[in-house]
């Protein structure tokens, strides 16, 4: 029994807060403890244990004070590393230790779509990888009401897309370059050029003139320096226990100078193509996020379910490495059709083609390969280029619509009396369009969620078939971080939030037992615990059951007792955030629900008319609840 206690105290020497003084002062004490236990010298044993506990306590206090000083100095990175050490948080290693052969295999796997494109014919009917037999496609075979073919003839020549002989219309100033250089985060990893982000940021005034000349020269010539578009790919595991090469996500590290130029190009590109973007694309839009996509989907679904005999079918598509399958030549046509000038599209095409890339893992670097397909993940332009790539397929009618959040696409069918013809037609059109544009749908991971509250469900709904495979209908699906089920009652989501909140509350207790308190502990709660409990609260805050609300509030009360200060319960946080979200919808004219909200404005006062609700399910959803909160604040 005594030896077990001695071993537990001896393990304290492995902690980071055990200082060098402690090792020097009592270097022989653990041996004395064990020998004392064997010789039954209890007095000596107690004395040494008492000294050891005092030294450990002093070491912890010193370590905590060090973190508090770092927090006051705004050194957030070191603070979080210290908190992970104290709480025993297992930080996932994103650089698995393998040999060079494994790194080369991984690099070729990440570049597999480029190899498939080189081997496949250039016909639009061919797909990069074999799929189910599909007849040859042409743009004329698709519904022109919802699709603008990638290879259709360009629009009439205008001033915006005329090939200028004087170079790109985008000209950067020294002030713009200096401002972007100063915005670089100082602690970001260096790219293949080895230039530190801290150096670039600190020397912004000295570098802005030179970089302004190089940036404008690159845009004018339509060429990107080879080193700037070289990618160092870091494999990040998708799961805690990767099983194969597909379990890793390729994240590219590129030059900070190139990222600065990308930000400047992105600002101009966003203005040029804003009118051509899909209005139901919720990603990478200012003031719009995942919450807005979920709110839009649920509002239209619940409003439709108010009608008798109605059902909702939602098809959640899964793509295989969507960013890596972008074909630059197809993207170039889409950019020019959107009004981007020839020189800028040529620059983007050069940026995406002939890109050297290599994989770096712990202790080894793979050979370099040249890639001319896809957009590297982790770069500034890649997400927005994918948005442009998928913008020419859109559909939004009273019975069916397609909404996107980057590569998370969902087709929602608002079906009445079992008439799902438009839903099936749109799904098939989207599958055909994806094949035409070299986007690979993973049919085995594509799922359908059917919401049907009818008492008599005759005849039963028939499954949809994609690429020769019947799509599985599931009871629950995780969409953009929240769990939706076929009853829309948020029980699955509440269970997931409760489990995650419990696990993170344990970390909070560990910190408190260490002696961490005050603003440092509150910061950890807000960033780690509260962010998990209140994720997507604007979507489910007014709709969860009383039992689920009590469970989550119980977690919050436990956290409050650990912090020693009162915390807002779920209903207070949800009301505050829903009111803020409604205000954001009313101010953002580009939001897909802006017209829906403004249509509720009263012509006699500044209040909003309450939507007509036939069921309690719809009345407790986001928009009716937010309207009641808005009118309550307006009256007060």
């Amino acid at each position: 029994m005594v030896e077990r206690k001695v071993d537990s105290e001896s393990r304290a020497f492995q902690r980071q807060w055990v200082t060098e003084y402690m090792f020097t002062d009592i270097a022989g004490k653990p041996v004395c403890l064990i020998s004392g236990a064997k010789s039954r010298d209890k007095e000596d044993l107690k004395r040494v244990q008492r000294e050891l506990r005092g030294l450990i306590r002093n070491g912890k206090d010193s370590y905590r004070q060090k973190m508090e000083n770092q927090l006051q100095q705004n050194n957030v990175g070191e603070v979080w590393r210290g908190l992970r050490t104290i709480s025993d948080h297992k930080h996932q290693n994103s650089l698995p230790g393998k040999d060079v052969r494994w790194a080369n295999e991984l690099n070729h796997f990440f570049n597999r779509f480029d190899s498939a494109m080189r081997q496949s014919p250039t016909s639009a009917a061919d797909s990069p990888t074999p799929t189910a037999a599909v007849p040859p496609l042409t743009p004329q075979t698709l519904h022109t009401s919802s699709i603008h073919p990638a290879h259709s003839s360009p629009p009439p020549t205008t001033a915006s897309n005329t090939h200028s002989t004087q170079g790109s219309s985008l000209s950067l100033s020294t002030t713009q370059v200096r401002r972007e250089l100063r915005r670089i985060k100082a602690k970001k990893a260096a790219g293949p050029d080895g230039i530190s982000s801290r150096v670039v940021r600190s020397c912004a005034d000295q570098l802005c003139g030179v970089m302004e000349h190089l940036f404008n020269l690159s845009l004018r010539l339509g060429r990107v320096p080879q080193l700037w578009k070289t990618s160092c790919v870091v494999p990040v595991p998708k799961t805690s226990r990767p099983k194969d090469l597909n379990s890793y996500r390729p994240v590219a590290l590129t030059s900070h100078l190139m990222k600065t130029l990308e930000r400047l190009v992105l600002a101009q590109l966003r203005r040029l193509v804003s009118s051509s973007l899909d209005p139901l694309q919720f990603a990478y839009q200012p003031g719009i996020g995942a919450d807005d996509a979920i709110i839009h989907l649920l509002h239209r679904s619940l409003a439709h379910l108010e009608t008798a005999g109605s059902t909702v079918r939602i098809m959640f598509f899964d793509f295989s490495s969507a960013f890596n399958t972008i074909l630059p030549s197809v993207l170039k046509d889409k950019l020019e059709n959107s009004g981007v000038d020839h020189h800028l599209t040529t620059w983007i095409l050069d940026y995406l083609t002939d890109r050297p890339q290599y994989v770096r893992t712990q202790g080894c670097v793979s050979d370099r390969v040249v890639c001319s397909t896809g957009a590297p993940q982790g770069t500034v332009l890649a997400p927005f280029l994918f948005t442009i790539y998928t913008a020419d397929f859109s559909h939004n009618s009273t019975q069916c619509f397609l909404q996107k959040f980057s590569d998370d696409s969902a087709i929602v069918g608002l079906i009445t009396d079992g008439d799902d013809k438009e839903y099936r037609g749109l799904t098939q059109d989207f599958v055909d369009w994806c094949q035409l544009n070299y986007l690979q749908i993973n049919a085995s991971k594509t799922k359908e969620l059917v919401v049907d509250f009818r008492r008599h469900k005759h005849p039963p709904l028939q499954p949809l078939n994609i690429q020769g495979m019947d799509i599985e209908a599931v009871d629950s699906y995780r969409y953009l971080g929240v769990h939706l089920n076929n009853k829309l009652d948020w029980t699955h989501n509440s269970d997931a939030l409760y489990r995650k909140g419990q696990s993170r509350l344990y970390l909070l207790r560990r910190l408190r037992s260490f002696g961490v308190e005050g603003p440092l502990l509150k910061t950890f709660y807000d960033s780690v615990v509260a962010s998990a409990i209140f994720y997507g609260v604007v979507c489910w805050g007014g709709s969860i059951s009383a039992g689920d609300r009590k469970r989550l509030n119980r977690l919050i009360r436990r956290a409050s007792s650990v912090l020693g200060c009162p915390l807002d319960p779920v209903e207070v946080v949800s009301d505050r955030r829903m009111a803020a979200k409604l205000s954001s919808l009313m101010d953002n004219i580009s939001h897909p629900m802006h017209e829906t909200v403004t249509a509720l404005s009263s012509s006699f006062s500044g209040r909003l008319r309450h939507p007509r609700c036939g069921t309690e399910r719809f009345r407790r959803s986001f928009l009716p609840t937010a309207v009641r909160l808005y009118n309550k604040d307006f009256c007060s």
Side-chain angles (χ1 to χ4, degrees):
M1 187 69 180
V2 177
E3 292 182 0
R4 186 178 303 172
K5 182 185 294 185
V6 171
D7 292 341
S8 65
E9 293 181 351
S10 300
R11 284 196 297 269
F13 285 91
Q14 302 174 6
R15 298 294 188 184
Q16 291 189 11
W17 52 81
V18 179
T19 62
E20 184 180 354
Y21 164 75
M22 294 175 63
F23 280 108
T24 305
D25 187 54
I26 56 172
K29 291 294 177 65
V31 179
C32 294
L33 289 174
I34 297 175
S35 61
K38 292 181 178 180
S39 62
R40 306 294 184 180
D41 190 355
K42 295 183 179 181
E43 293 298 328
D44 185 53
L45 176 63
K46 291 181 180 180
R47 178 181 58 81
V48 174
Q49 287 178 339
R50 188 165 51 252
E51 293 178 6
L52 182 60
R53 285 194 296 268
L55 289 171
I56 292 175
R57 184 167 54 252
N58 294 335
K60 287 183 177 181
D61 292 339
S62 175
Y63 195 75
R64 184 184 66 251
Q65 292 174 3
K66 177 182 177 182
M67 286 194 301
E68 291 175 351
N69 293 335
Q70 290 171 343
L71 181 63
Q72 293 176 356
Q73 298 171 4
N74 202 25
N75 192 350
V76 181
E78 291 298 328
V79 171
W80 283 115
R81 275 188 284 272
L83 292 176
R84 283 200 300 265
T85 301
I86 295 172
S87 60
D88 283 341
H89 176 68
K90 304 299 182 182
H91 182 62
Q92 184 170 305
N93 187 5
S94 61
L95 298 177
K98 300 285 185 177
D99 55 10
V100 177
R101 184 175 62 178
W102 182 83
N104 286 329
E105 291 178 359
L106 194 60
N107 196 20
H108 287 290
F109 177 77
F110 290 153
N111 198 37
R112 66 192 184 279
F113 297 103
D114 185 70
S115 302
M117 292 296 181
R118 295 178 187 273
Q119 296 174 4
S120 63
T122 57
S123 172
D126 295 323
S127 178
T129 57
T131 58
V134 179
L137 297 176
T138 61
Q140 289 75 18
T141 62
L142 304 177
H143 289 280
T144 57
S145 62
S146 60
I147 301 178
H148 308 288
H151 300 288
S152 60
S153 58
T157 302
T158 61
S160 61
N161 60 14
T162 302
H163 294 185
S164 172
T165 60
Q166 298 180 356
S168 174
S169 61
L170 175 58
S171 179
L172 305 175
S173 65
T174 305
T175 303
Q176 291 176 304
V177 175
R178 182 189 295 110
R179 183 175 62 249
E180 290 300 328
L181 291 176
R182 288 176 175 174
R183 290 179 178 176
I184 295 177
K185 295 183 179 180
K187 294 188 178 181
K188 288 292 184 179
D193 57 2
I195 299 178
S196 168
S197 59
R198 186 185 299 274
V199 172
V200 176
R201 178 176 177 175
S202 302
C203 302
D205 294 335
Q206 292 77 17
L207 293 174
C208 60
V210 177
M211 299 316 303
E212 179 265 336
H213 173 73
L214 293 178
F215 289 170
N216 283 323
L217 181 63
S218 174
L219 293 170
R220 186 166 62 251
L221 297 177
R223 301 293 299 274
V224 178
Q226 195 79 351
L227 184 59
W228 285 7
K229 60 181 180 180
T230 301
S231 301
C232 172
V233 179
V234 178
V236 178
K238 298 178 182 178
T239 60
S240 58
R241 295 181 179 180
K243 297 180 180 179
D244 51 20
L245 298 179
N246 199 32
S247 300
Y248 295 92
R249 179 178 291 105
V251 177
L253 298 179
T254 56
S255 169
H256 289 290
L257 299 177
M258 183 60 196
K259 288 183 178 180
T260 302
L261 178 55
E262 287 182 80
R263 293 188 186 96
L264 294 167
V265 171
L266 177 61
Q268 174 72 4
L269 190 62
R270 192 185 295 275
R271 289 192 294 268
L272 292 174
V273 303
S274 59
S275 60
S276 303
L277 296 179
D278 184 356
L280 293 185
Q281 171 62 267
F282 290 85
Y284 319 119
Q285 304 298 327
I288 301 177
D291 289 345
D292 301 272
I294 300 168
I295 288 171
H296 177 263
L297 185 149
L298 291 176
H299 174 73
R300 295 189 62 174
S301 299
L302 290 171
H304 174 71
L305 290 170
E306 295 287 281
T307 306
S310 60
T311 58
V312 174
R313 301 182 69 172
I314 310 174
M315 183 69 68
F316 297 102
F317 288 92
D318 183 86
F319 291 98
S320 298
S321 301
F323 283 19
N324 294 335
T325 56
I326 295 177
L327 201 61
S329 58
V330 177
L331 176 63
K332 182 176 182 291
D333 294 338
K334 295 173 184 281
L335 288 169
E336 292 184 343
N337 291 342
S338 299
V340 182
D341 66 86
H342 174 69
H343 287 85
L344 186 54
T345 56
T346 302
W347 182 88
I348 294 175
L349 181 65
D350 184 77
Y351 164 61
L352 295 178
T353 55
D354 297 327
R355 295 181 291 103
Q357 75 173 34
Y358 60 92
V359 171
R360 186 186 70 190
T361 62
Q362 283 185 345
C364 63
V365 176
S366 72
D367 299 331
R368 296 197 177 198
V369 298
V370 178
C371 183
S372 295
T373 302
Q377 296 186 43
T379 57
V380 176
L381 279 177
F384 194 72
L385 292 179
F386 184 81
T387 299
I388 299 174
Y389 194 80
T390 58
D392 58 349
F393 188 101
S394 61
H395 188 94
N396 186 13
S397 69
T398 57
Q399 297 180 353
C400 205
F401 64 92
L402 166 68
Q403 73 172 45
K404 311 167 190 171
F405 190 90
S406 187
D407 59 334
D408 290 309
S409 301
I411 291 180
V412 182
L414 309 177
I415 301 168
T416 304
D417 297 330
D419 184 10
D420 59 356
K421 182 178 179 180
E422 183 177 350
Y423 172 71
R424 289 179 175 273
L426 177 60
T427 302
Q428 186 59 49
D429 288 346
F430 185 64
V431 172
D432 294 342
W433 177 87
C434 289
Q435 184 184 5
L436 183 66
N437 288 269
Y438 299 92
L439 295 176
Q440 298 187 13
I441 296 177
N442 191 340
S444 61
K445 293 185 178 180
T446 298
K447 305 297 180 183
E448 185 181 28
L449 185 69
V450 180
V451 184
D452 189 357
F453 297 118
R454 296 178 301 171
R455 293 184 179 180
H456 304 288
K457 303 175 183 179
H458 300 292
L461 298 175
Q462 297 299 319
L464 275 76
N465 187 283
I466 295 178
Q467 298 175 353
M469 180 182 299
D470 287 342
I471 301 302
E472 179 187 4
V474 295
D475 295 334
S476 177
Y477 186 83
R478 189 171 184 264
Y479 177 62
L480 301 180
V482 301
H483 296 261
L484 303 176
N485 62 11
N486 55 5
K487 296 181 180 179
L488 300 181
D489 57 5
W490 298 106
T491 54
H492 292 77
N493 188 69
S494 298
D495 291 341
L497 293 178
Y498 185 78
R499 289 193 300 268
K500 184 177 291 187
Q502 274 189 319
S503 63
R504 299 197 178 185
L505 189 60
Y506 165 76
L507 302 178
L508 190 70
R509 290 195 183 101
R510 286 295 304 269
L511 292 178
R512 186 65 183 88
S513 65
F514 189 82
V516 177
E517 55 187 11
L520 193 60
L521 195 63
K522 184 63 165 59
T523 299
F524 186 86
Y525 168 78
D526 292 334
S527 303
V528 178
V529 183
S531 62
I533 297 176
F534 297 121
Y535 180 81
V537 68
V538 295
C539 308
W540 52 262
S543 304
I544 60 173
S545 64
D548 289 335
R549 183 179 289 106
K550 288 181 180 179
R551 293 172 65 198
L552 295 177
N553 281 333
R554 193 181 305 123
L555 280 180
I556 297 173
R557 287 195 298 270
R558 292 174 185 172
S560 177
S561 64
V562 174
L563 291 173
C565 63
L567 297 173
D568 293 333
V570 171
E571 51 271 20
V572 174
V573 175
S574 63
D575 289 352
R576 182 171 62 246
R577 295 190 183 181
M578 281 193 286
K581 177 61 69 175
L582 181 64
S583 177
S584 174
L585 295 182
M586 298 173 66
D587 295 337
N588 190 351
I589 60 175
S590 62
H591 196 285
M593 290 188 63
H594 175 75
E595 294 184 0
T596 303
V597 176
T598 54
L600 300 175
S601 299
S602 173
S603 57
F604 301 100
S605 65
R607 301 177 59 181
L608 297 176
R609 296 192 303 272
H610 194 279
R612 181 176 299 177
C613 302
T615 61
E616 185 69 11
R617 179 176 54 249
F618 185 41
R619 195 187 74 84
R620 295 175 59 189
S621 63
F622 165 76
L623 187 57
T625 304
V627 168
R628 291 194 297 272
L629 293 172
Y630 179 86
N631 292 336
K632 180 180 178 181
D633 293 339
F634 182 83
C635 294
S636 59

